[in-house]
Amino acid sequence: MFAQITMVSKIPSASVALPMTHELSDELPLTNEGTGDIPDTLPLLPLRDIVIFPFLIVPLFVQREKSQRAIENALPNRRLIVLATQRNPEDEDPTGDDLHRVGTIAAVMRLLKTGDGRVRILVQGLARATLLRVTDEAGYLQAQVQTIPEASVEMTLEVEALVRAVKGLLERIVTLGKQISAEVLAIAASLDDPGRLADLCASNLDAKLSDAQAILEEADPIARLRRVHDLMAREVGILTVQQEISSQAKGEIDRSQREFYLRQQLKAIQQELGEVSDAGDEVAAYQEKIAEARLPEPAREEATRQLKRLERLHPDAAEAGLLRTYLDTLLALPWNTFSEDHIDLQHVKAVLDADHYGLEKVKERILEALAVRRLKPDTKGLLLCLVGPPGVGKTSLGRSVAKAIGRKFVHISLGGVHDEAEIRGHRRTYVGAMPGRIILGLQQAGTKNPLMLLDEVDKLGNDFRGDPASALLEVLDPEQNHAFRDNYLGVPFDLSKVMFLLTANVTDTIQPALRDRLEIVRLPGYTQEEKLVIARRHLVPKQLAESGLTGKHLAITESALRMTIARYTREAGVRQLEREIGKMCRKVARRVAEGDSGKVTITAANLSDYLGVPKFKADAILSQDRIGVAAGLAWTSVGGDVMHVEALLLRGKGGLLLTGKLGEVMKESAHAALSYAKSRARELGIEPDVFTQHDLHIHVPEGAIPKDGPSAGITMATAMVSALSRRPVRRTVAMTGEITLRGDVLPVGGIREKILAARRAGIKTVILPAQNQPDVSDIPAELVKGLKFIYVQEVSEVFAAALGKAAKTLPAKGVNK
């Protein structure tokens, strides 16, 4: 039994790469030079449905045992074999009489044995040959052959014209839609030999076996090229008529029918290649997934409806892909998957204390919320919003809570979000539609009850694309979020099991309706002592590990850490402090990597060698009491600060000059303070003509930094009155509070941060609004130890506490001394 041999590709190539298990070296060239050394008797391989020409490389599949034995016997004999086409392709056991008498001697270039018992070979045609005698004595066909030499051709004008005509017909065939590779066209364009050109064209014409065999048997190159020319001319005629018929039919078939026809062809091709599964299998798979997902009734109905639409569509339709994506998203959501809470308050407290030093009031509020949830798991409760400066641990607190109670943690950053669709999702009518961040976060968590941290809620935007802060109302409101409807899903999803935690730096920019739903829990800045403990417990070990160091390589003394906190960072949190410690570790890591194994100890004395020149000067009180210079306490996004306000009298006509890049609120406070001073000039000991003969210049140093806020009201008034009345301001006194035209002192915020700044600068007395006295009682006793607090209701009380005795004379040339 001879195996069927099927041609995979008829395109000749100078280089054909196939994966072979047998590497055959010393491959034969693509010429017939040296064919005189070909043995007289060679193994024979009968071909069913192909004629192979010299100079071409063709892959073949061999299944019949006799044919495989012929190939095995060809390998040690220079890998040469005779390829002859059967007269009857259906004949399973051909003999010599069943084969054409002219075939092709070929070399086996590659051989691969496949898993199904077939052999895949790559053969290269070498020369034509006549089969003189065919035998079957060794268990496979052998043929006694005689090589047919290629006759030489004189390139006359007639031959050259014939060559050009054949090349032109080949190009014409391609333009009429015949699929011929660019490689074949390039090879044909470079050939001038009539015989080779005829063989190349004949192998790409899909001619009948009888025609192809006739061309192979033609030894004369010119006659062979004429036969090919006639076949190509006939092919051009057929293709021309076919194109005309297609053009006529094209106008009668509308677009949908044409697409259906082409897609059916594509589907058949893909199924033959095993690239796609049957559409019915896909629908059945989705039906099984819908049944297993145990979706709520609205979601199950929507999924079923969309699946029916998908079933009616062609698998390759554009809308089908959108429906698959929707169904995959819908089925991937955790409709019924929950993580079990483990609310052990002692364990939660231990985790929070281990991860975060200080923040006692914040931890207490979190533990209270968890205690209520443990006693009443279905409680709606309040939404906690952690508000504080950057780097104080808001985000990491949420991660620690999730770890402590065994919930999945989802972090969603809202900073800079302007599009409402980021929260509610896009409608499926849009290109690139996708669910909102809330639904995507649940899909990422894989559970229906994660702890979801909505970070930077104060930085939500608002423009023509919608108001995402308003969209959050439905997400966070416990009266609504049990049926949250994402625009992409189109069905309600229950968010009531999600534990939401929000963070912000300030509350002023949070939308009022949203802020009303939140319980604000403020995280104050850390004191220097707290930063020192955090650095020793957490930051130094973490940076040592990240730099590949241990305690054997580096030790940082307490004095170095204190100086790093005071002179290289100016923040409420510890983020910059961690960067500076990391900088020290990296410099030591480089020394260790370069071979220095000695231990490095960083102290306050050598700290500048690792961190450079100090970035900040230490806050300090003035060396003496001065006229027109008052110390105010300010709140910044990185903590508290001591701000000196300067007032100077100049010869003029009563004008007020404000410098230091002051905001509108501070400018209004300055005008209010000046108006108050004018209205109480006699009581304050100010000469009346001062306001008409002098200008007043108010300046706040570090003018490159924008400054604003009402807290500097009494500070500006004190500096003004000091300059106008020639009374110096006590250097150990700092103050904060808002002033009115009547002289009332109103409360301000950020008291803890301001007191920390006063303590850091060496201030002894702090003047605060009387209504801020409860804020001081909430501050730990060790932070207020050594400070004297004066609580005032009117600005006159501020002057009495902050101003000394008046100077005897006005300053010369308007300069304060």
Side-chain angles (χ1 to χ4, degrees):
M1 295 293 293
F2 283 80
Q4 180 183 1
I5 301 176
T6 305
M7 186 184 70
V8 177
S9 172
K10 292 186 179 180
I11 299 176
S13 173
S15 176
V16 178
L18 291 175
M20 295 293 171
T21 57
H22 294 274
E23 279 292 333
L24 304 179
S25 59
D26 301 327
E27 296 176 0
L28 299 178
L30 285 173
T31 68
N32 61 344
E33 296 178 3
T35 56
D37 297 331
I38 296 175
D40 294 337
T41 303
L42 293 173
L44 186 146
L45 187 64
L47 307 179
R48 285 183 184 272
D49 53 3
I50 184 175
V51 175
I52 295 179
F53 294 88
F55 313 113
L56 302 180
I57 298 177
V58 180
L60 301 172
F61 278 109
V62 182
Q63 187 172 357
R64 293 183 285 198
E65 294 181 3
K66 284 188 176 182
S67 299
Q68 292 181 8
R69 285 197 293 269
I71 294 173
E72 292 174 358
N73 283 273
L75 295 181
N77 190 18
R78 295 186 59 196
R79 308 188 312 276
L80 296 179
I81 196 168
V82 180
L83 305 176
T85 305
Q86 298 179 194
R87 300 182 186 275
N88 180 12
E90 302 300 327
D91 194 347
E92 290 292 337
D93 190 11
T95 62
D97 296 334
D98 299 324
L99 302 175
H100 289 283
R101 286 301 172 179
V102 175
T104 303
I105 298 175
V108 180
M109 302 176 64
R110 296 284 190 274
L111 183 144
L112 171 66
K113 292 184 178 179
T114 61
D116 56 359
R118 294 187 299 172
V119 174
R120 187 179 185 184
I121 62 173
L122 185 69
V123 297
Q124 174 186 342
L126 298 178
R128 288 172 168 78
T130 302
L131 279 61
L132 301 178
R133 183 170 176 267
V134 177
T135 62
D136 187 8
E137 298 174 354
Y140 61 92
L141 292 180
Q142 298 185 65
Q144 183 180 357
V145 297
Q146 180 180 357
T147 303
I148 302 175
E150 188 75 8
S152 60
V153 178
E154 181 182 355
M155 290 299 293
T156 63
L157 292 178
E158 181 181 359
V159 173
E160 185 173 353
L162 182 59
V163 169
R164 292 188 181 183
V166 170
K167 291 181 179 180
L169 287 173
L170 185 62
E171 294 177 358
R172 175 64 175 161
I173 288 174
V174 173
T175 58
L176 289 174
K178 183 73 171 180
Q179 296 297 322
I180 298 178
S181 69
E183 184 182 6
V184 171
L185 295 175
I187 295 174
S190 63
L191 283 179
D192 291 327
D193 184 277
R196 289 194 181 185
L197 181 60
D199 293 341
L200 178 63
C201 294
S203 65
N204 286 275
L205 284 180
D206 292 333
K208 297 179 181 179
L209 285 179
S210 57
D211 294 333
Q213 183 65 33
I215 294 174
L216 179 67
E217 294 177 357
E218 183 58 64
D220 184 7
I222 303 300
R224 190 190 315 153
L225 190 59
R226 291 187 186 278
R227 281 179 175 269
V228 172
H229 180 274
D230 294 341
L231 288 176
M232 294 178 71
R234 184 174 181 274
E235 184 72 13
V236 168
I238 294 173
L239 291 174
T240 302
V241 174
Q242 182 180 348
Q243 190 177 59
E244 292 175 355
I245 295 173
S246 299
S247 300
Q248 294 173 358
K250 187 177 181 180
E252 300 173 359
I253 304 175
D254 59 20
R255 181 181 177 184
S256 61
Q257 292 173 322
R258 197 161 56 248
E259 286 186 356
F260 177 78
Y261 174 73
L262 294 175
R263 293 190 187 282
Q264 287 297 112
Q265 285 186 322
L266 179 61
K267 176 183 175 182
I269 294 172
Q270 290 178 330
Q271 288 180 349
E272 287 293 329
L273 296 175
E275 295 180 356
V276 295
S277 60
D278 187 76
D281 295 339
E282 182 183 37
V283 172
Y286 275 120
Q287 289 174 341
E288 183 178 353
K289 290 180 180 178
I290 293 173
E292 293 175 353
R294 294 182 292 116
L295 304 176
E297 188 61 25
R300 188 187 62 78
E301 292 178 356
E302 180 67 13
T304 303
R305 188 171 68 88
Q306 299 300 334
L307 182 59
K308 289 180 179 179
R309 291 182 59 197
L310 177 63
E311 189 175 7
R312 292 193 299 267
L313 292 173
H314 188 275
D316 297 317
E319 188 177 357
L322 300 178
L323 291 177
R324 290 191 192 97
T325 303
Y326 173 76
L327 290 172
D328 290 339
T329 303
L330 190 69
L331 295 172
L333 290 176
W335 296 95
N336 296 285
T337 305
F338 296 88
S339 60
E340 184 178 354
D341 286 344
H342 301 282
I343 303 180
D344 182 347
L345 297 183
Q346 296 298 327
H347 173 68
V348 174
K349 186 177 186 304
V351 171
L352 293 178
D353 290 339
D355 294 346
H356 300 82
Y357 179 78
L359 305 176
E360 298 303 329
K361 289 187 176 295
V362 179
K363 296 177 184 176
E364 182 180 353
R365 182 62 188 90
I366 292 174
L367 289 172
E368 291 171 357
L370 293 177
V372 173
R373 187 172 290 273
R374 177 177 179 178
L375 297 178
K376 195 174 187 302
D378 59 344
T379 182
K380 296 178 179 177
L382 295 175
L383 293 166
L384 298 184
C385 180
L386 306 180
V387 178
V392 295
K394 301 184 296 296
T395 302
S396 58
L397 266 173
R399 187 176 288 106
S400 296
V401 172
K403 178 178 67 175
I405 65 177
R407 287 201 179 195
K408 295 286 187 178
F409 179 74
V410 178
H411 177 264
I412 298 178
S413 178
L414 300 178
V417 172
H418 289 75
D419 194 349
E420 180 182 334
E422 293 283 344
I423 306 299
R424 282 206 176 103
H426 302 83
R427 301 190 184 277
R428 297 201 300 274
T429 55
Y430 295 106
V431 176
M434 60 187 300
R437 295 193 180 191
I438 305 299
I439 296 298
L440 289 177
L442 290 170
Q443 183 177 348
Q444 171 192 348
T447 62
K448 199 174 182 179
N449 61 336
L451 190 151
M452 188 171 291
L453 181 74
L454 303 180
D455 208 0
E456 309 291 356
V457 71
D458 57 324
K459 298 176 180 61
L460 281 172
N462 185 349
D463 59 13
F464 66 92
R465 288 167 288 190
D467 184 3
S470 298
L472 275 180
L473 297 179
E474 184 184 358
V475 174
L476 301 176
D477 193 340
E479 301 297 331
Q480 304 180 53
N481 63 9
H482 66 279
F484 172 69
R485 186 177 292 270
D486 185 276
N487 290 332
Y488 181 82
L489 292 183
V491 294
F493 192 95
D494 185 6
L495 299 179
S496 62
K497 305 302 181 183
V498 179
M499 183 183 295
F500 289 103
L501 191 64
L502 291 83
T503 72
N505 294 130
V506 294
T507 59
D508 301 339
T509 55
I510 301 177
Q511 189 198 59
L514 178 59
R515 187 170 62 243
D516 181 63
R517 286 166 167 78
L518 306 177
E519 179 181 350
I520 305 299
V521 180
R522 297 192 178 274
L523 279 73
Y526 295 112
T527 66
Q528 287 194 4
E529 295 300 326
E530 289 174 334
K531 290 182 179 179
L532 180 62
V533 175
I534 292 171
R536 294 170 61 183
R537 288 187 182 180
H538 302 287
L539 304 184
V540 172
K542 177 182 176 182
Q543 290 301 317
L544 283 174
E546 291 187 357
S547 301
L549 302 175
T550 64
K552 298 179 180 180
H553 301 103
L554 172 64
I556 304 176
T557 64
E558 182 175 319
S559 61
L561 290 175
R562 288 185 181 275
M563 180 172 287
T564 304
I565 295 168
R567 305 296 300 277
Y568 291 89
T569 64
R570 184 65 59 88
E571 57 177 346
V574 293
R575 190 169 293 159
Q576 184 60 34
L577 175 59
E578 184 176 2
R579 295 191 186 102
E580 298 297 334
I581 295 174
K583 186 176 180 181
M584 301 181 209
C585 294
R586 288 192 298 273
K587 288 186 178 296
V588 175
R590 178 180 175 183
R591 294 178 55 177
V592 173
E594 291 176 349
D596 187 352
S597 59
K599 183 175 182 178
V600 175
T601 301
I602 300 178
T603 64
N606 64 357
L607 183 62
S608 59
D609 296 338
Y610 296 89
L611 299 184
V613 179
K615 301 176 182 177
F616 303 99
K617 62 180 181 180
D619 291 332
I621 60 177
L622 299 175
S623 59
Q624 61 181 2
D625 298 348
R626 293 192 178 183
I627 296 173
V629 181
L633 299 176
W635 179 92
T636 69
S637 61
V638 295
D641 197 6
V642 176
M643 178 178 62
H644 289 90
V645 178
E646 301 175 348
L648 184 67
L649 281 178
L650 305 169
R651 296 292 181 183
K653 299 180 180 180
L656 177 62
L657 178 62
L658 301 173
T659 58
K661 205 168 185 180
L662 307 183
E664 292 298 325
V665 176
M666 290 189 70
K667 292 178 181 179
E668 292 172 359
S669 296
H671 285 285
L674 181 59
S675 298
Y676 175 82
K678 288 181 179 180
S679 67
R680 305 293 178 90
R682 186 179 300 277
E683 299 176 17
L684 297 175
I686 301 173
E687 296 293 335
D689 59 351
V690 170
F691 297 105
T692 58
Q693 298 178 5
H694 293 80
D695 291 338
L696 189 60
H697 184 180
I698 304 296
H699 177 67
V700 182
E702 299 185 32
I705 302 175
K707 312 168 189 71
D708 201 7
S711 300
I714 65 174
T715 310
M716 286 186 160
T718 302
M720 283 185 186
V721 172
S722 171
L724 292 170
S725 63
R726 308 303 303 147
R727 298 169 65 185
V729 182
R730 294 186 175 91
R731 65 190 181 92
T732 58
V733 176
M735 63 199 72
T736 182
E738 185 177 0
I739 189 175
T740 68
L741 288 176
R742 299 186 306 274
D744 296 332
V745 179
L746 303 181
V748 292
I751 298 299
R752 177 188 169 101
E753 289 81 0
K754 293 174 180 178
I755 291 176
L756 292 178
R759 183 182 181 87
R760 186 170 59 241
I763 298 294
K764 302 300 182 183
T765 303
V766 178
I767 300 176
L768 298 174
Q771 297 182 47
N772 282 122
Q773 186 172 357
D775 297 325
V776 178
S777 63
D778 289 338
I779 299 176
E782 62 269 15
L783 298 183
V784 299
K785 185 178 180 180
L787 291 177
K788 177 183 178 182
F789 294 95
I790 300 176
Y791 301 102
V792 298
Q793 293 182 338
E794 296 183 354
V795 72
S796 58
E797 300 175 49
V798 178
F799 300 152
L803 297 179
K805 295 182 180 180
K808 295 182 179 180
T809 59
L810 287 174
K813 298 182 182 180
V815 178
N816 289 333
K817 295 184 179 178

